[in-house]
Amino acid sequence: MTRDIYLTTAQLAKFVHTSPRTLERWRTEGRGPRFCKCGHKVLYHIDDVTAHLEANKHSHTSQY
């Protein structure tokens, strides 16, 4: 089921315990979850955030 829930950069930063600046850097480096631009606003769909988190699960540090 598709959920129409979008997070702002500030909301996502709080959710993943990082700074908005880190998310900005990840966008320029092509890292982090997919995002969309709506005017000047950057939005992250919750399904893209979940997919990114799932894809980056590790069971030990040698998997990085």
Side-chain angles (χ1 to χ4, degrees):
M1 174 192 289
T2 301
R3 297 170 285 177
D4 290 327
I5 299 171
Y6 289 87
L7 302 175
T8 64
T9 299
Q11 291 169 324
L12 180 59
K14 197 173 203 179
F15 181 69
V16 297
H17 306 286
T18 193
S19 72
R21 182 68 187 112
T22 296
L23 293 173
E24 291 170 13
R25 190 179 78 243
W26 287 356
R27 287 194 303 269
T28 62
E29 295 172 353
R31 301 170 51 193
R34 292 173 39 177
F35 62 93
C36 58
K37 293 276 290 199
C38 186
H40 293 289
K41 196 170 227 156
V42 174
L43 298 172
Y44 296 88
H45 194 278
I46 192 66
D47 291 342
D48 292 329
V49 171
T50 301
H52 177 75
L53 293 173
E54 288 294 320
N56 287 285
K57 281 186 175 178
H58 303 285
S59 59
H60 52 83
T61 57
S62 66
Q63 289 182 318
Y64 290 126

